[in-house]
Amino acid sequence: MNKKLLLFIFLFISFTSSLFASFQVSYLNDSKKYKNINDVINKDFTSIPKKMTFGNKKDVWIKIRIENKTNKKIDNYSSINNIQIMENVHFYTILKNQVIKKNELFNKYKNYNVDHRIGNSLIYNNKINANQNLDVYIHITAKSHIYFDINNGTFSEITTKSSRTTTLLIFLVGALSALGIYYAFLYIFTPNSSYLYYTLFVFSLLFWSFYIYGGYAYHFDIFTVGGFSNTFVVLIPIFTIMFFKSIYKNYSEFYKYNLILNFLLSFLVLFLVLYILSQLDLIFYISIGKYGALIYLFTLIITVTISIIIYIKKLPYSGIFLLGYSANFIGTITSIGFFLGKTPYNIFTLHGNIIGGVIEAILFSILLTYKMRKVYKEKEDAINSSKIKNIKINILNETIDFISHQWRQPLSQINSSVFAIDNIANQNKLQIKKLDEELLYIESITSYMSSTIDDFRNLFSNNKKDEVFSLNSIITKTLSILKKVLINRNIELNLNIKEELMITGNKGDITQVLLIILNNAKDVLEERQILSPKINISLIKEDNKANLIICDNAGGISPKNEEKIFTANYSTKDNDKNSGLGLYIAKTLIENKMMGELSVSNDNQGACFCIKMQVVQ
């Protein structure tokens, strides 16, 4: 109940306070420039809203009619905001067509630190008798645009309203500051021209917006940065174009648009130099208010047009560029309409340019993030490609080792047979039957050696086209490479293959995977010195998938290793020769290239690797 009573009292006070001193705003709609207050007192004034923009008009007379509707004398305050864009602001109190009070102190360049200024607002005080009406005239002059927000009431009321006008500015400037600082640090630690131009664009937009919307005047009491801050009207499109160019510098399709942007940059730099010279009084005066907005708009039209063209041509990032430039274009059109007096004064028309700029900056930030991810992905792919090459080299070395083991005994047997033939021939006891047996034996051995060469060559074949093939035949060929090595290490090999299964993929890839898994099984059996080492291979069909299961009896994988066993550069072996890439590559080949599955688990004897691939009917 108490809350409702307090709310009622608050609403009642808010409503009745407007009855104490109501006010109306009007202006002198006359093309003549009147300098003296006495020349305008009896002129007809046209009613306008308390917020108004006059475009390029540089001399305006405003009248505020204040009515005290109470039966007591009141202390009234009138305020006008956005004085940072005004040159002179003079106040006159008129009662019965007579000037009873005036304040002509404020001049932006000569005397801005006056007692009746708070931030970017001037406050003018009058004592108004009971039931009395009086007029406050305000004469405003400026070098470019005039726009204002007039308030009337108690001192606390007008100061509160004045502070509210900066809330949106602080929010937008805060967003730009965060983006600018982030990419500035990013450029320091990872130098990239795109980061640099983005940072310069964001800070240029920040500095100019903070000036044009009264930030310097309101928060720092700085009025004399107009000439300096207006250079950012040209610097913003310069840095935006350079950012645009940096993104597409390596794209040949962008070459002719790059030439157009270079020409546009040259024009902007020339205009910037001329403007700076004019500010130093070295050449004729150049109005940034008159030409800057048009140049800014012209630049946006060119960049938006190029964005549309490259979007149609489907260049990377073009969609984000188009959205960003479009947001800035809409905001700029809105602000230009405001500054030219073509659109009404409200929070969106006043801040249109910075709102569009912040949206553009956020979208460009998303673009940079996306580009960073793409660059990192390309680097990661390059690293992975290098890792795959390294693992193939390791497999090559191991395969050569296999061949040397496989060929050592056959070569010894061939030598023995040749020695036997030589002895028979030398003793002139040539036995045709015995000679035929030795020659056939040599032929079988050389045939086996030739088969080994073929298997080795197929393993590293450059033919990477997917094809339909028998998984059974790949298992057989892979085992033919490893058979002698397993026999020499007394490793028992058990096969459980009931039917032939066809799959789609690359023979070399699946062979590499099988060699990796079988070699790992062989190594762990030797490392743990298992008394009766075994490798069991099963091939079964389940749910239209080929399940190839390879198990050993080496005791299995510990839980902590089981979670990381397919991670790159992770190895359970202690020696330095193991890169930890084998199973990572195996999983990559099966799951990324052959769209299958590779998993590991433990049974009661050891580790089991399961490869699942779709069966071709």
Side-chain angles (χ1 to χ4, degrees):
M1 188 68 181
N2 291 334
K3 290 183 179 179
K4 290 184 178 179
L5 179 62
L6 290 172
L7 179 62
F8 174 77
I9 293 172
F10 174 76
L11 293 174
F12 178 77
I13 293 173
S14 299
F15 173 75
T16 56
S17 64
S18 63
L19 300 177
F20 295 157
S22 63
F23 71 101
Q24 296 176 341
V25 182
S26 56
Y27 88 106
L28 181 61
N29 188 9
D30 196 322
S31 58
K32 293 183 180 179
K33 293 183 178 181
Y34 298 98
K35 301 298 181 182
N36 195 302
I37 179 63
N38 294 316
D39 295 334
V40 300
I41 289 178
N42 294 315
K43 298 288 183 180
D44 291 330
F45 279 66
T46 304
S47 179
I48 57 172
K50 73 184 191 70
K51 293 182 178 182
M52 189 67 182
T53 172
F54 285 93
N56 288 322
K57 198 167 185 178
K58 298 176 178 60
D59 193 303
V60 177
W61 281 92
I62 304 296
K63 181 170 76 171
I64 307 174
R65 165 60 60 91
I66 305 172
E67 300 177 2
N68 181 5
K69 297 180 180 181
T70 69
N71 294 320
K72 61 181 180 179
K73 188 176 183 178
I74 63 172
D75 202 14
N76 185 78
Y77 292 85
S78 302
S79 70
I80 182 168
N81 295 342
N82 302 315
I83 60 171
Q84 74 278 357
I85 49 89
M86 305 171 189
E87 185 173 6
N88 294 290
V89 182
H90 298 162
F91 293 88
Y92 305 90
T93 302
I94 308 299
L95 183 63
K96 297 180 181 180
N97 292 333
Q98 296 295 320
V99 179
I100 62 172
K101 182 182 178 181
K102 66 180 179 178
N103 187 321
E104 298 176 330
L105 296 176
F106 179 80
N107 179 278
K108 176 181 176 179
Y109 302 103
K110 298 177 181 179
N111 188 30
Y112 63 85
N113 196 21
V114 292
D115 293 337
H116 62 297
R117 181 180 66 82
I118 298 178
N120 65 332
S121 302
L122 289 176
I123 298 174
Y124 187 63
N125 174 242
N126 283 290
K127 308 287 185 181
I128 307 178
N129 294 325
N131 298 308
Q132 186 183 58
N133 300 332
L134 58 77
D135 296 323
V136 173
Y137 283 73
I138 307 175
H139 185 210
I140 306 169
T141 61
K143 285 188 176 181
S144 55
H145 309 287
I146 293 178
Y147 56 92
F148 55 76
D149 179 7
I150 290 177
N151 290 291
N152 194 78
T154 65
F155 183 79
S156 61
E157 286 176 340
I158 61 173
T159 53
T160 300
K161 290 177 181 179
S162 178
S163 64
R164 286 175 186 169
T165 61
T166 65
T167 303
L168 179 62
L169 176 64
I170 293 300
F171 172 78
L172 295 174
V173 167
L176 289 174
S177 299
L179 290 170
I181 292 170
Y182 172 75
Y183 281 98
F185 277 104
L186 200 60
Y187 174 74
I188 291 171
F189 294 109
T190 55
N192 182 295
S193 60
S194 297
Y195 301 156
L196 175 62
Y197 297 138
Y198 177 84
T199 302
L200 293 172
F201 152 66
V202 167
F203 279 119
S204 295
L205 180 62
L206 186 154
F207 291 139
W208 181 79
S209 301
F210 205 62
Y211 159 70
I212 202 68
Y213 298 115
Y216 294 116
Y218 186 89
H219 296 281
F220 304 109
D221 279 346
I222 298 175
F223 278 82
T224 56
V225 293
F228 166 74
S229 296
N230 282 331
T231 59
F232 291 110
V233 176
V234 185
L235 287 173
I236 291 169
I238 286 176
F239 293 134
T240 307
I241 291 172
M242 294 179 77
F243 174 72
F244 198 8
K245 284 164 53 66
S246 70
I247 295 295
Y248 291 107
K249 62 183 178 181
N250 295 324
Y251 290 83
S252 58
E253 304 96 320
F254 198 74
Y255 175 75
K256 57 183 177 182
Y257 309 115
N258 197 49
L259 295 177
I260 296 172
L261 293 176
N262 285 339
F263 174 78
L264 192 57
L265 272 177
S266 301
F267 171 74
L268 290 171
V269 171
L270 176 62
F271 180 81
L272 179 63
V273 171
L274 292 175
Y275 174 73
I276 293 173
L277 292 175
S278 74
Q279 291 296 304
L280 297 174
D281 294 327
L282 297 177
I283 60 172
F284 56 90
Y285 176 74
I286 296 177
S287 171
I288 202 75
K290 185 175 182 180
Y291 301 107
L294 295 177
I295 290 174
Y296 192 94
L297 182 61
F298 174 71
T299 303
L300 271 176
I301 292 172
I302 298 297
T303 51
V304 169
T305 303
I306 293 176
S307 298
I308 294 172
I309 295 172
I310 65 173
Y311 177 74
I312 293 172
K313 293 189 175 183
K314 298 181 178 180
L315 264 66
Y317 322 116
S318 56
I320 300 178
F321 263 115
L322 181 57
L323 287 173
Y325 281 135
S326 298
N328 196 356
F329 181 76
I330 294 171
T332 300
I333 288 291
T334 304
S335 288
I336 289 176
F338 169 82
F339 287 120
L340 293 178
K342 304 300 181 182
T343 57
Y345 187 137
N346 58 53
I347 193 170
F348 297 107
T349 56
L350 174 63
H351 296 92
N353 182 259
I354 187 173
I355 292 173
V358 169
I359 294 173
E360 180 184 45
I362 292 172
L363 287 170
F364 286 175
S365 175
I366 294 171
L367 183 151
L368 282 176
T369 302
Y370 178 75
K371 185 183 178 184
M372 279 191 292
R373 286 183 178 178
K374 186 176 180 181
V375 169
Y376 292 151
K377 181 67 169 57
E378 289 173 352
K379 289 183 178 179
E380 185 180 353
D381 290 343
I383 291 171
N384 288 339
S385 176
S386 176
K387 288 178 179 178
I388 291 173
K389 288 179 181 178
N390 289 335
I391 197 65
K392 285 189 174 183
I393 291 172
N394 291 336
I395 294 174
L396 175 63
N397 292 332
E398 291 177 2
T399 308
I400 292 172
D401 185 54
F402 299 155
I403 292 174
S404 67
H405 281 294
Q406 291 168 338
W407 281 12
R408 189 173 290 114
Q409 187 175 353
L411 286 172
S412 177
Q413 292 169 341
I414 291 173
N415 284 335
S416 298
S417 295
V418 171
F419 182 72
I421 294 170
D422 186 55
N423 281 340
I424 294 169
N426 287 335
Q427 295 173 9
N428 293 319
K429 296 177 181 179
L430 196 59
Q431 300 176 17
I432 299 301
K433 183 178 180 182
K434 181 66 176 176
L435 181 60
D436 287 341
E437 289 177 359
E438 293 295 335
L439 291 173
L440 286 172
Y441 183 64
I442 292 173
E443 184 179 351
S444 67
I445 293 172
T446 54
S447 176
Y448 167 75
M449 295 172 69
S450 176
S451 175
T452 304
I453 288 291
D454 289 337
D455 291 338
F456 174 68
R457 183 182 58 199
N458 291 333
L459 173 61
F460 296 97
S461 171
N462 289 324
N463 181 14
K464 290 297 178 182
K465 292 182 180 179
D466 287 345
E467 56 182 316
V468 178
F469 58 87
S470 169
L471 183 55
N472 307 58
S473 65
I474 294 299
I475 296 171
T476 302
K477 287 185 178 180
T478 305
L479 291 177
S480 69
I481 297 173
L482 285 169
K483 188 174 182 180
K484 285 287 184 181
V485 176
L486 298 178
I487 291 173
N488 291 339
R489 286 161 175 75
N490 296 316
I491 297 175
E492 181 182 338
L493 183 63
N494 299 311
L495 297 178
N496 180 21
I497 300 176
K498 296 181 178 179
E499 60 179 312
E500 186 173 25
L501 300 178
M502 307 296 290
I503 63 170
T504 302
N506 181 268
K507 293 179 180 180
D509 290 341
I510 190 66
T511 304
Q512 288 179 56
V513 172
L514 293 178
L515 280 174
I516 289 168
I517 295 173
L518 290 169
N519 272 323
N520 278 357
K522 168 183 69 71
D523 291 342
V524 75
L525 287 168
E526 284 188 303
E527 183 181 315
R528 298 181 183 179
Q529 298 179 353
I530 305 301
L531 294 178
S532 299
K534 295 179 182 179
I535 295 177
N536 301 317
I537 300 176
S538 300
L539 179 62
I540 58 175
K541 182 180 178 182
E542 189 176 281
D543 296 331
N544 203 37
K545 287 188 177 181
N547 290 358
L548 177 57
I549 304 169
I550 303 172
C551 300
D552 59 53
N553 64 336
I557 305 168
S558 66
K560 65 175 183 178
N561 289 334
E562 189 174 342
E563 296 177 0
K564 305 176 183 177
I565 200 153
F566 294 112
T567 305
N569 300 319
Y570 183 81
S571 176
T572 60
K573 301 172 187 177
D574 296 331
N575 60 70
D576 296 333
K577 294 181 179 179
N578 291 289
S579 63
L581 293 171
L583 290 175
Y584 167 76
I585 297 298
K587 193 172 182 68
T588 301
L589 292 174
I590 291 296
E591 298 189 353
N592 293 354
K593 293 190 68 177
M594 302 189 71
M595 302 306 166
E597 298 175 36
L598 174 58
S599 60
V600 65
S601 60
N602 290 323
D603 64 8
N604 56 358
Q605 290 188 324
C608 289
F609 288 84
C610 180
I611 301 172
K612 292 184 179 182
M613 286 173 289
Q614 195 70 31
V615 172
V616 178
Q617 300 294 341

